[in-house]
Amino acid sequence: MLPTNAAAAPSPRVVGKFLQAGSERFLIKGVSYGTFAPDADGYQFPRLPQVAADFVLMAQSGVNAVRTYTVPRGNILDAAAEHELRVVVGVPWAQHVAFLDNRKLARAVRKDIVREVRRLAGHPATLLVAIGNEIPSGVVRWHGAARIERFLRDVYDDAKQAAPDALLTYVNYPPTDYLDLPFFDVCAFNVYLHHGDDLRAYVAHLQVVAGNRPLLLAEGGADSLREGEEGQADLTATQLRIAFEEGACGAVVFSWTDDWWRGGHAVADWRFGLTDERRRPKPVLADVALAFADAGFPPGRRQEWPRVSVLICARNAAETLDECLRSVVELDYPDYEVIVVNDGSTDATGEIARRHPDVTVIDTPHGGLSAARNAALHRASGTVVAYTDADVRVDPAWLIYLVQPFLRSDVAGAGGPNVVPEDDPWMAQCVARSPGAPTHVLLDDRAAEHVPGCNMAFRRDALLAIGGFDPAYHAAGDDVDVCWRLQARGQSIGFAPSALVWHRHRRTVRGYWRQQVGYGEAETQLMDNHPERFLNGHAVWKGRIYSSLPFVRAISRVRVNAGVWGTAAFPSVYSAHIPSMTYVPHLIAWQFGSVLLMCAAAGSVWFGHAALAVVAGLGGIAGLATTIAKCVGYGRRTDVRGLPVAGPFGAVASRMLYRTTIAWLHLLQPIARGWGRFRGKLWPPDVGARHATAAARSRRVDGPREMGRAIRLMFRGQDKMELWSERWVDRADLLTRITRGLQSRAVGRAIDAHDTWQQERDLAVATGRWGWLDLRTLLEEHEEGRCLFRVGVRHRLAPFGATVGMLTGMGIAASLLLDAGLTAALFLGSGLTAAVAMCRRIAQVDAGVRAVVEEVAGQRGLLVMRGEDLAARVPAAGSESTRPLIRRPPVVGVPEPVAGAEGEGTEVYDLQPSGER
């Protein structure tokens, strides 16, 4: 019979990145137990009195969880519950052999695991069930990662069906950390690294692998035989501190005792135990007890943490604001304030905010999201300002983890993940599983290219230095703009994987449509202000977009470098976007083109061109069918387990409804974004209201001047820029900086900076498939060390662009000769469409190049000259004063590394022909 306290103890459950028992967070502070020498029945546990004595000492040392590698009997689980210990139970099976080659063995394994999970799940001492531990990397390579992943997924599904409330995990290890297992409730890894910096870096990587799930370090420790007992104590305590500081939900020390049995005999040449074979404590036990007592960030270690201003901008948010504020005022952080900006709400938003006495409320006329964020920024008193939205519920430790990048590095900003709350209605859950939701984009395990506006923080002085948020962004896009502007100044954005918030999504299709239209309008503004970061109308991210959506996962490919013959202990995993048909059918241009072909088919039937009607009709139908099929596929592959039953529908019918809705939203999203972009072009925001500089405003690509320049460049015209400096500058240095600026943005994804055989250009920047923008530069030296830097830009057609033009012209000519007026009109329309597309792309790249050149000019103190200003500063050609009064020595060797926006130690290439020195 179980003790009363064990029976009444609430079962832990997953809440975001951590486990929670009742209303309290449950950090796993564990030790491994076993394996021990088997008895006559093959049972690998000590006798019950010894187990009870071990459990008493564990509990006294701050241990709250025990990990076993074999399944214990009920009396051991009862003893654990009596001493308020939870058990992570490992279910052993034949994972060390090629088990999938034997179907009978694989079926038996699945059946045994499900039986054990069903038996264990009902016991209150059971914390987690591990249905696998370190499948050898050789076995994974033999079967292939995909087969192993499917097998584990099938076992997980069977076990969940047998015990829906059981928490399941698979304990992985570094040689196979590329296995994609997002369905397990907890992400668990065995990790042995003895250098603190290495362990921190790898735990950060594992947090990215874990995603929005809890991360458990299921094994760690040190060998007292090799490290000495004091060395073992120091190493093990350091590992535990790092695990908890990096946001792990727990850590397990290997092992409780040096009494260890493996492979049919006692292991004598390793001593990882916290106690020796006779259960006498070693020094490491006291250090582990102290580390467990200080797990995470205890109050005594928070004196040096910065003051944080939590800023919430709300408009008509009466439905969600109270929940948001209740979570914010209960944050576990030593020094913070809460400011709510009521952005001209017409409901009870302001009244609800004032019900919370610790919240400062600012009422403003409706000016949009960015204006409200700026109002909060200027009122804030914190060193760090943390932004979240009124429809968000924050984790109690949100600020603790959000400020970590600021404490450990010089980042200008930081952010974390956001997930949909479990209690959101089924439509909101479907919206959360559809494209277009805000998410983070990571450059590596710690650096972000973008963090969403519902979970972001900045150093207040860094944000003020760039003028805050751009008021032109009324509802969206401001977070992207700020991240890009900070990075353009050489600053970085950190990522805090455990700083998690729950973000409520739109609850209706209409709400989702309006949101995506708003995002489309914001994209139009971003394209105007950051043309260098867009390619063919779409943002090009240097980092990886992290999302569990099948649509996002389908456009990237993971590649693993597992070392020679797969022997790497820590394989390198790369993820790259793959431009292919996977993404193209989801573009609005594809869908619009398919509809246009079907309209052309109808017109051809009207005018009696049957053959053309058949070809156009089949093309249009095939295009739309491909799009619909892909959307249906994304809906079918979306994980909808755990979603509430929809109204009167049963479980099976609900899942069909969810997948159909998700497929429909996949089809709807690009249409909404496209309409938003169109609206953004028709009704652009008031440019005069922006705080941006004239240089930033000049990057618009749809104005008459910009399109005029693009048309001139299409016909081999030249666009020129002149930059004046009152002191001499090095042309190679300027070209190096321009090259770096282009390469750091999407405009420089295809750039030729080292073609020393071409005398007529210094740089070439691709304009998509249409051609290249060739840059040619000249540095004129003038009196008293002054100089003029000239940049000439000319467009050069690539074979694709030339071929499109030639085929279009031939098609029009042939159609007119054959008296096929409609066909000629179609060719003409196609040609004009291609010309407009090429013109816009040239304008985008030209604007991006100009922006980079002007940015470099600002860094080096050059002034962009325009007409009259140039004539006033530069003497007339041929005058006596135009003769240079100084001569610069010839450059010998390779230019020194450039310090500045790129950072010290940046590699710099000599962009000039070598010639004779």
Side-chain angles (χ1 to χ4, degrees):
M1 184 176 210
L2 291 176
T4 304
N5 63 337
S11 299
R13 56 193 177 91
V14 173
V15 179
K17 295 284 292 181
F18 296 93
L19 300 180
Q20 187 166 309
S23 60
E24 300 294 326
R25 175 153 295 170
F26 185 86
L27 289 177
I28 297 176
K29 306 170 185 178
V31 294
S32 65
Y33 198 58
T35 54
F36 299 100
D39 60 14
D41 298 327
Y43 186 55
Q44 291 188 271
F45 284 92
R47 294 182 180 276
L48 189 59
Q50 180 63 66
V51 172
D54 289 338
F55 285 176
V56 168
L57 185 55
M58 288 179 191
Q60 292 174 351
S61 302
V63 174
N64 64 10
V66 181
R67 181 186 174 192
T68 69
Y69 298 92
T70 56
V71 180
R73 292 171 181 164
N75 57 357
I76 291 183
L77 292 176
D78 293 343
E82 183 178 355
H83 294 91
E84 299 184 6
L85 297 175
R86 308 279 184 168
V87 184
V88 179
V89 184
V91 180
W93 49 278
Q95 58 194 22
H96 61 288
V97 300
F99 57 93
L100 292 180
D101 287 347
N102 186 330
R103 294 184 178 179
K104 184 177 180 180
L105 174 61
R107 286 195 297 268
V109 166
R110 290 177 62 174
K111 183 178 179 181
D112 291 345
I113 292 175
V114 172
R115 183 185 65 249
E116 294 292 356
V117 170
R118 182 185 291 111
R119 183 175 68 85
L120 294 165
H123 200 287
T126 302
L127 174 62
L128 286 168
V129 179
I131 60 177
N133 178 66
E134 292 188 6
I135 298 177
S137 59
V139 175
V140 174
R141 286 171 58 83
W142 177 262
H143 290 309
R147 290 187 67 193
I148 296 293
E149 290 163 2
R150 284 196 300 270
F151 174 79
L152 291 175
R153 176 61 184 259
D154 291 342
V155 174
Y156 174 87
D157 289 340
D158 291 347
K160 274 292 187 179
Q161 187 173 2
D165 296 331
L167 297 182
L168 305 179
T169 188
Y170 164 77
V171 183
N172 207 342
Y173 73 139
T176 59
D177 74 357
Y178 53 84
L179 286 175
D180 188 19
L181 308 171
F183 39 87
F184 282 106
D185 301 308
V186 174
C187 178
F189 269 82
N190 297 332
V191 181
Y192 291 90
L193 285 171
H194 287 182
H195 295 287
D197 291 342
D198 293 340
L199 181 58
R200 280 193 185 278
Y202 193 66
V203 173
H205 167 69
L206 293 182
Q207 286 284 20
V208 174
V209 173
N212 297 329
R213 298 172 298 151
L215 172 65
L216 170 65
L217 266 63
E219 269 186 26
D223 178 14
S224 63
L225 196 63
R226 291 166 176 79
E227 305 293 341
E229 291 192 348
E230 295 299 329
Q232 178 196 26
D234 291 341
L235 285 171
T236 305
T238 298
Q239 292 170 356
L240 292 176
R241 284 196 298 270
I242 289 174
F244 289 116
E245 288 176 1
E246 292 293 331
C249 74
V252 177
V253 179
F254 184 87
S255 67
W256 174 247
T257 173
D258 287 337
D259 179 12
W260 185 25
W261 180 276
R262 182 174 175 84
H265 57 84
V267 178
D269 58 344
W270 280 2
R271 298 192 180 278
F272 280 78
L274 303 182
T275 64
D276 63 16
E277 301 94 326
R278 298 172 61 183
R279 302 311 200 269
R280 292 175 299 188
K282 290 156 58 173
V284 65
L285 181 59
D287 283 26
V288 166
L290 183 61
F292 280 156
D294 289 343
F297 302 94
R301 294 168 53 194
R302 303 183 189 177
Q303 291 87 347
E304 303 299 325
W305 287 17
R307 178 171 173 79
V308 178
S309 297
V310 178
L311 310 179
I312 303 167
C313 302
R315 173 169 170 78
N316 295 336
E319 186 176 357
T320 60
L321 182 61
D322 187 62
E323 178 190 43
C324 173
L325 293 179
R326 278 190 283 109
S327 69
V328 168
V329 298
E330 295 176 358
L331 282 168
D332 180 18
Y333 191 80
D335 185 14
Y336 73 100
E337 64 175 346
V338 182
I339 298 175
V340 173
V341 177
N342 177 23
D343 183 29
S345 298
T346 58
D347 62 3
T349 295
E351 178 185 344
I352 292 172
R354 287 183 174 83
R355 293 175 189 167
H356 298 268
D358 297 329
V359 174
T360 299
V361 182
I362 303 173
D363 293 305
T364 65
H366 177 48
L369 180 59
S370 291
R373 283 180 168 164
N374 285 336
L377 172 66
H378 291 292
R379 183 68 174 271
S381 62
T383 305
V384 173
V385 290
Y387 287 93
T388 191
D389 291 343
D391 57 353
V392 159
R393 185 179 79 248
V394 302
D395 184 84
W398 173 56
L399 283 187
I400 288 179
Y401 291 105
L402 191 59
V403 302
Q404 293 305 307
F406 298 105
L407 298 177
R408 297 175 183 162
S409 65
D410 60 350
V411 297
N418 68 98
V419 297
V420 59
E422 292 182 356
D423 59 346
D424 253 9
W426 71 270
M427 180 56 77
Q429 299 281 357
C430 291
V431 167
R433 288 159 171 79
S434 303
T439 188
H440 49 278
V441 182
L442 298 188
L443 297 168
D444 56 38
D445 296 328
R446 290 199 183 275
E449 184 178 5
H450 166 255
V451 289
C454 61
N455 189 2
M456 62 182 183
F458 302 96
R459 297 187 192 274
R460 185 172 182 269
D461 55 357
L463 202 52
L464 289 172
I466 62 171
F469 293 86
D470 188 337
Y473 297 93
H474 280 253
D478 57 318
D479 50 355
V480 179
D481 175 72
V482 160
C483 290
W484 283 350
R485 283 196 284 137
L486 286 171
Q487 291 165 33
R489 295 169 66 98
Q491 296 175 304
S492 57
I493 309 295
F495 181 66
S498 294
L500 184 137
V501 302
W502 286 267
H503 187 202
R504 296 197 178 276
H505 289 66
R506 301 302 190 269
R507 301 187 176 191
T508 63
V509 174
R510 181 183 179 186
Y512 177 70
W513 168 271
R514 294 177 62 183
Q515 178 194 49
Q516 296 305 310
V517 169
Y519 287 171
E521 293 175 346
E523 283 180 342
T524 301
Q525 297 169 240
L526 289 169
M527 279 188 282
D528 290 339
N529 289 338
H530 305 275
E532 70 277 12
R533 290 187 176 269
F534 286 80
L535 180 65
N536 296 327
H538 296 276
V540 180
W541 299 99
K542 292 178 290 182
R544 176 183 174 187
I545 302 174
Y546 278 84
S547 172
S548 60
L549 296 183
F551 169 71
V552 177
R553 297 166 70 88
I555 60 177
S556 63
R557 177 177 297 155
V558 173
R559 299 191 179 189
V560 180
N561 182 354
V564 179
W565 300 315
T567 57
F570 292 83
S572 300
V573 182
Y574 303 91
S575 177
H577 293 287
I578 47 174
S580 67
M581 287 297 293
T582 301
Y583 182 72
V584 171
H586 200 68
L587 299 177
I588 184 62
W590 174 281
Q591 300 175 24
F592 181 77
S594 300
V595 173
L596 191 62
L597 281 175
M598 296 174 68
C599 293
S604 299
V605 171
W606 179 267
F607 288 102
H609 297 286
L612 183 61
V614 171
V615 173
L618 289 177
I621 292 172
L624 283 181
T626 302
T627 301
I628 294 172
K630 283 192 167 292
C631 292
V632 171
Y634 295 141
R636 183 178 58 83
R637 297 199 301 272
T638 298
D639 186 0
V640 296
R641 291 169 306 158
L643 268 64
V645 175
F649 298 92
V652 175
S654 292
R655 286 194 293 270
M656 292 180 61
L657 175 62
Y658 300 151
R659 292 195 164 97
T660 302
T661 302
I662 292 169
W664 166 241
L665 294 176
H666 274 78
L667 184 65
L668 194 67
Q669 189 263 349
I671 301 174
R673 285 286 181 98
W675 173 241
R677 290 186 178 187
F678 181 68
R679 284 184 48 168
K681 289 297 181 185
L682 285 181
W683 300 287
D686 179 14
V687 178
R690 301 182 185 182
H691 69 80
T693 64
R697 293 196 296 268
S698 69
R699 302 180 205 172
R700 296 183 62 86
V701 299
D702 57 350
R705 180 182 301 176
E706 290 73 20
M707 296 301 289
R709 278 201 302 261
I711 294 172
R712 185 168 63 253
L713 289 170
M714 284 176 62
F715 293 98
R716 293 294 293 168
Q718 184 170 260
D719 187 20
K720 295 181 180 179
M721 297 180 66
E722 288 85 13
L723 303 103
W724 178 262
S725 176
E726 292 293 326
R727 58 184 176 83
W728 186 84
V729 294
D730 183 23
R731 174 171 168 267
D733 174 56
L734 292 175
L735 282 170
T736 298
R737 290 175 177 272
I738 291 171
T739 302
R740 292 298 187 191
L742 294 171
Q743 289 174 336
S744 68
R745 295 162 169 83
V747 70
R749 289 181 73 85
I751 179 172
D752 180 5
H754 307 289
D755 189 355
T756 61
W757 295 98
Q758 295 294 337
Q759 298 297 319
E760 69 272 13
R761 61 177 176 267
D762 297 311
L763 299 173
V765 184
T767 55
R769 294 170 295 176
W770 303 108
W772 298 81
L773 277 185
D774 293 336
L775 277 69
R776 182 172 51 181
T777 63
L778 169 66
L779 186 73
E780 295 181 359
E781 296 183 3
H782 292 269
E783 60 183 359
E784 299 181 3
R786 301 184 182 96
C787 57
L788 179 70
F789 184 61
R790 296 183 185 269
V791 181
V793 181
R794 195 184 299 272
H795 189 256
R796 169 169 45 101
L797 275 179
F800 175 82
T803 302
V804 170
M806 182 182 65
L807 292 178
T808 301
M810 291 175 59
I812 294 173
S815 302
L816 292 175
L817 288 175
L818 297 175
D819 195 24
L822 178 61
T823 304
L826 288 174
F827 273 107
L828 179 61
S830 301
L832 289 175
T833 301
V836 170
M838 180 168 65
C839 184
R840 279 196 55 80
R841 181 58 187 155
I842 292 173
Q844 287 177 341
V845 176
D846 180 53
V849 169
R850 294 177 69 87
V852 171
V853 172
E854 291 178 8
E855 181 180 306
V856 171
Q859 294 171 358
R860 304 303 288 166
L862 280 75
L863 300 176
V864 180
M865 308 305 296
R866 317 207 184 264
E868 298 165 354
D869 294 334
L870 179 63
R873 287 183 181 267
V874 181
S879 68
E880 187 70 17
S881 61
T882 59
R883 291 179 299 178
L885 302 181
I886 58 172
R887 291 291 183 268
R888 295 293 165 184
V891 178
V892 179
V894 181
E896 292 295 324
V898 178
E902 296 85 358
E904 295 184 0
T906 300
E907 184 180 7
V908 176
Y909 299 96
D910 184 358
L911 303 180
Q912 303 303 311
S914 56
E916 293 186 4
R917 299 295 187 188

